[in-house]
Amino acid sequence: MNTAIVHIDCATDSIPEVAEALASQDGVSEVYSVAGNADLIAIVRVPHFDDIAEVIAGRISKTPGVVNTETYVAFRAYSRHDLEDAFAIGLPDAD
């Protein structure tokens, strides 16, 4: 799976509508409303690297209310959740 993190600037009066429109698009797994330099952050997860361009340039940037995007392509994921799954052998927790 290929992952990209997209910082999205929106027209100020349309942030909730843009978030809902983005969340319903194929390839967009999550959309967060955030404080900071961006209005929204979208997580894009697609099976093929070339699909990232289709989702971001082809759909996200063309969504009404989106003013600008800045994309970060993930090389590797480091997550406690991933590590726990990798080392789980199917036994119940000892707690």
Side-chain angles (χ1 to χ4, degrees), residues 2-90:
N2 295 280
T3 302
I5 298 93
V6 186
H7 291 204
I8 302 164
D9 297 325
C10 301
T12 307
D13 60 346
S14 64
I15 294 171
E17 294 82 9
V18 171
E20 288 183 24
L22 295 175
S24 70
Q25 294 182 8
D26 288 338
V28 177
S29 64
E30 298 140 72
V31 177
Y32 298 95
S33 176
V34 297
N37 293 330
D39 297 310
L40 300 171
I41 294 178
I43 307 300
V44 172
R45 291 192 172 96
V46 291
H48 306 289
F49 184 78
D50 292 343
D51 295 339
I52 292 173
E54 173 57 33
V55 173
I56 297 167
R59 287 187 251 143
I60 289 177
S61 353
K62 293 179 180 177
T63 301
V66 171
V67 175
N68 189 45
T69 63
E70 185 172 358
T71 301
Y72 299 86
V73 176
F75 295 127
R76 268 191 197 116
Y78 299 92
S79 159
R80 173 175 286 203
H81 181 264
D82 294 339
L83 291 174
E84 288 172 358
D85 286 347
F87 290 104
I89 58 171

